[in-house]
Amino acid sequence: MTKIVIFISGRGSNMEAILKECKNGILKGIAEPVLVFSDKKDAGGLETAKKYGIKTETLSAKGKKRQEFDTEVINLLSKYKFDYIILAGYMRILSDVFVKKYSGKIINIHPADTNLHQGLHAYEWAFKNKIQETKITVHYVNEGVDTGKIIAQKTVDLTGCKTSEEVEKRGLAVEHQFYSETLYNILKNNH
Ligand code: GAR
């Protein structure tokens, strides 16, 4: 089984969707979550991870340079055996040191087409620009911000959305299914 570490910074709804699929769904027997890591002590998703019986760890980045913090995270991760790092709403840009260390092993979900939008607030961007459909993107992480090789994309129909919240709600529903489906496709031949 492929061992995964999930990184979160907040509510962790994508993380929960993945944990569910690992426990009883499409990722059962394929992926085994060994750790949920957060850069935020108060990330809501940490409690959820504990409910699923998954080990959690946190480290605060406060006052630390990006590279210094990431080196601490690498040290922490050295206690664990794992194959992939799955970013699920991890709101930090990873330093070159970190990306090089786990090259080709870090996967992220971005709530827009990374060719068109990078960084934060992708659903607000979609709403403000009145685009009729957006694309959820799962991609490998490289040294840039949302510039890594695209693994898969899924279109979300946004017609009729009246608020940014509505856009997010539709998008998240797709994210929750699509991330696990994509992980399944990557990992199914790995064991
Ligand atoms: C998700 O929409 C995820 O795609 C996005 O943050 C949200 C996290 O929600 N990630 C990014 O914007 C990364 N650039 P969650 O904590 O409930 O999964």
Side-chain angles (χ1 to χ4, degrees):
M1 239 200 303
T2 303
K3 293 186 190 316
I4 60 171
V5 172
I6 305 176
F7 277 30
I8 61 168
S9 294
R11 134 192 92 181
S13 70
N14 274 289
M15 172 210 71
E16 183 169 17
I18 292 168
L19 294 183
K20 252 188 213 160
E21 296 294 343
C22 288
K23 197 171 170 200
N24 257 325
I26 190 176
L27 293 171
K28 190 175 176 183
I30 302 247
E32 180 192 356
V34 295
L35 175 70
V36 169
F37 171 77
S38 180
D39 61 320
K40 297 271 183 280
K41 255 201 176 92
D42 57 355
L46 291 169
E47 286 310 309
T48 313
K50 283 179 196 150
K51 278 191 204 137
Y52 279 78
I54 310 298
K55 170 113 178 112
T56 63
E57 297 248 31
T58 64
L59 274 180
S60 167
K62 230 181 175 169
K64 294 171 195 161
K65 295 219 169 77
R66 198 181 300 288
Q67 190 162 324
E68 181 190 350
F69 177 70
D70 280 356
T71 306
E72 282 183 22
V73 180
I74 291 171
N75 286 339
L76 181 151
L77 291 178
S78 69
K79 296 190 289 178
Y80 296 88
K81 267 192 89 171
F82 60 92
D83 306 293
Y84 283 90
I85 294 171
I86 309 301
L87 307 184
Y90 187 63
M91 296 309 192
R92 286 185 63 80
I93 295 167
L94 296 169
S95 60
D96 292 5
V97 171
F98 194 91
V99 174
K100 281 207 179 83
K101 168 88 183 165
Y102 303 109
S103 172
K105 299 291 182 192
I106 312 170
I107 296 171
N108 183 41
I109 189 161
H110 182 68
D113 182 344
T114 50
N115 295 308
L116 300 178
H117 176 280
Q118 303 84 30
L120 300 175
H121 311 305
Y123 288 131
E124 280 171 39
W125 164 83
F127 182 67
K128 279 189 186 137
N129 288 285
K130 300 186 173 64
I131 56 176
Q132 296 303 296
E133 57 175 47
T134 195
K135 280 191 177 121
I136 306 298
T137 306
V138 177
H139 64 95
Y140 288 108
V141 174
N142 66 5
E143 280 85 353
V145 177
D146 299 324
T147 54
K149 182 169 178 267
I150 292 172
I151 301 166
Q153 292 188 311
K154 184 141 187 169
T155 299
V156 187
D157 177 10
L158 299 179
T159 50
C161 278
K162 290 195 175 54
T163 60
S164 176
E165 288 71 31
E166 216 178 322
V167 169
E168 179 172 4
K169 197 171 162 211
R170 279 198 207 175
L172 274 173
V174 172
E175 287 190 55
H176 294 161
Q177 270 205 332
F178 182 56
Y179 209 177
S180 291
E181 271 168 29
T182 307
L183 291 175
Y184 172 81
N185 287 328
I186 299 166
L187 304 178
K188 66 183 174 199
N189 300 320
N190 272 8
H191 55 106

